[in-house]
Amino acid sequence: MTNAIELLGISKSYGSVQALNNIHLTINDGEFFSLLGPSGSGKTTCLKIIAGFEGSQEGHVKLFNEDVTLVPPYKRDLNTVFQDYALFPHMSVRSNIGYSLRIKKVNLEEQNKRIDEILETVKLIGYDLRKPSELSGGQRQRVALARSLINKPKVLLLDEPLGALDLKLREQMQIELKNLQRKFNITFIYVTHDQQEALSMSDRIAVFNNGRVEQIDTPHNIYNKPKTSFVADFIGITTIFPKEDASQFNITKSFSIRPEFISIQSSSSSSSKDFKIKAKVTDIQYQGSFNKIIFESSFRNSLSVFQNTNNNENISYKIDQEYILEFDKKDITLLDD
Ligand code: ADP
Ligand code: MG
């Protein structure tokens, strides 16, 4: 497998703020790789260092095994799509998309051919003479994509590219982006703070927290085998039992249990599950296809449990009523703090 990008011990500070702390990443050629983390965790800084818009105080960047740490952005074989699209407002869709071809003095016939091709790919045929202000948010996003794909870069960096779109359009664009990535066989490095988006689109994900990478793994492993409390908590819904509480179950590390593995029993249950916890309902949150029921127990974290809502035999749980929550040892995940 070819390495598209390698980050070797990248650290970056802005004054007293350490934005990145000793980042090591290897991204494969053709991979859809996401940088996922909360706001301020260092994702954009990391992307800018890969693109060359920012330098780092420590570490090296390699692009296809070549050290590009000191190579300026325009000489790196990659392209960036920014969150605000950065289109030229006075230029037509066509001129926006063809901009880099004009700079490179590609002949006119070739320019038009490539623009027509890419207009078809991003479904913008017929819109090519409009100005960006005459387009919807989703169409503008497609222009930005077309503009960055027209040079056939080997690597495309995308910083929260769907952040400005509403949910329905975002989900549609997620599918289109994934299809484009497959079709062009480009390495995508995709920044998002949306865990659902990262889980559904990526081959692998790096989870960022406070300038560090907490885990690099497949979506399946990030969800099912989180290594740290931060990752378990950031990805999906879970209940974490910190070390101090875990010791009451003879477990020496913190652990996490996902709602889908917890069953609710009346207080007279006699099942053989490994863990049984007496708990009181504090809130029932309707989520459409399921209810999220929040319980309080003598442990310090509240517990979330899901109840499918399209089951006719649904029990209606009552606020303040006590139940027994049960789960098996095989379904818990041990965590490093
Ligand atoms: P993210 O993209 O994950 O939201 P950023 O990479 O933008 O995070 O920022 C990481 C940290 O670095 C934050 O604390 C942010 O305030 C700080 N930071 C980013 N850019 C600058 C800058 N140009 N000057 C000063 N601090 C910055
Ligand atoms: Mg950012």
Side-chain angles (χ1 to χ4, degrees), residues 128-335:
D128 52 332
L129 298 180
R130 294 200 192 183
K131 297 270 168 61
S133 61
E134 297 163 334
L135 300 173
S136 70
Q139 290 164 339
R140 261 179 251 162
Q141 173 56 253
R142 290 198 178 95
V143 177
L145 269 173
R147 189 179 58 179
S148 60
L149 287 170
I150 197 143
N151 278 322
K152 303 199 169 90
K154 284 195 187 146
V155 177
L156 193 61
L157 312 179
L158 302 105
D159 194 355
E160 313 236 7
L162 309 181
L165 308 180
D166 59 43
L167 181 64
K168 203 85 203 150
L169 191 54
R170 200 157 72 223
E171 288 173 346
Q172 186 192 334
M173 287 300 295
Q174 285 171 4
I175 297 167
E176 288 182 21
L177 272 176
K178 186 83 198 164
N179 286 340
L180 277 178
Q181 189 252 345
R182 277 198 213 103
K183 179 174 169 182
F184 284 76
N185 196 21
I186 298 175
T187 306
F188 268 34
I189 306 179
Y190 193 93
V191 165
T192 180
H193 65 270
D194 182 332
Q195 38 109 353
Q196 213 54 52
E197 189 164 285
L199 287 177
S200 66
M201 299 178 82
S202 316
D203 295 315
R204 286 189 306 151
I205 299 170
V207 182
F208 278 67
N209 176 25
N210 208 5
R212 292 175 188 272
V213 173
E214 295 247 340
Q215 187 167 351
I216 303 172
D217 228 321
T218 59
H220 182 272
N221 284 348
I222 292 278
Y223 185 82
N224 292 293
K225 294 177 184 162
K227 288 207 168 78
T228 64
S229 301
F230 177 82
V231 175
D233 199 36
F234 190 68
I235 312 293
I237 297 167
T238 200
T239 299
I240 292 172
F241 286 81
K243 220 191 287 187
E244 301 80 5
D245 283 347
S247 63
Q248 298 190 34
F249 303 100
N250 285 326
I251 291 176
T252 53
K253 287 178 119 182
S254 303
F255 70 85
S256 149
I257 179 79
R258 297 285 185 194
E260 54 268 38
F261 295 117
I262 303 178
S263 67
I264 309 171
Q265 303 292 341
S266 68
S267 48
S268 58
S269 150
S270 59
S271 82
S272 60
K273 297 255 178 161
D274 301 324
F275 298 85
K276 293 172 193 281
I277 295 171
K278 206 185 279 180
K280 200 170 73 176
V281 176
T282 59
D283 197 16
I284 299 171
Q285 298 168 358
Y286 179 63
Q287 312 267 328
S289 59
F290 64 92
N291 285 319
K292 183 177 159 195
I293 309 175
I294 315 287
F295 287 89
E296 210 175 69
S297 68
S298 60
F299 298 100
R300 65 201 75 200
N301 277 323
S302 57
L303 290 113
S304 305
V305 186
F306 292 155
Q307 179 192 29
N308 205 327
T309 46
N310 51 25
N311 176 353
N312 294 331
E313 292 154 35
N314 255 353
I315 302 162
S316 37
Y317 296 103
K318 292 189 182 62
I319 305 261
D320 279 342
Q321 187 137 340
E322 216 169 62
Y323 297 88
I324 308 286
L325 300 181
E326 303 184 337
F327 48 95
D328 273 327
K329 193 166 179 178
K330 68 172 173 45
D331 295 324
I332 69 171
T333 306
L334 299 178
L335 302 168

Side-chain angles (χ1 to χ4, degrees), residues 39-40 42-45 83 159-160 191:
S39 174
K43 308 179 297 293
T44 294
T45 304
Q83 177 166 7
D159 194 355
E160 313 236 7
V191 165

Side-chain angles (χ1 to χ4, degrees), residues 84-116:
D84 59 4
Y85 314 150
L87 299 176
F88 301 112
H90 58 286
M91 285 186 202
S92 68
V93 166
R94 198 169 189 88
S95 309
N96 263 288
I97 293 176
Y99 182 74
S100 65
L101 302 181
R102 288 200 299 285
I103 298 284
K104 287 189 179 162
K105 302 203 162 56
V106 173
N107 79 55
L108 211 56
E109 197 182 339
E110 171 76 11
Q111 277 189 36
N112 281 323
K113 184 170 149 263
R114 280 170 64 178
I115 294 171
D116 288 339

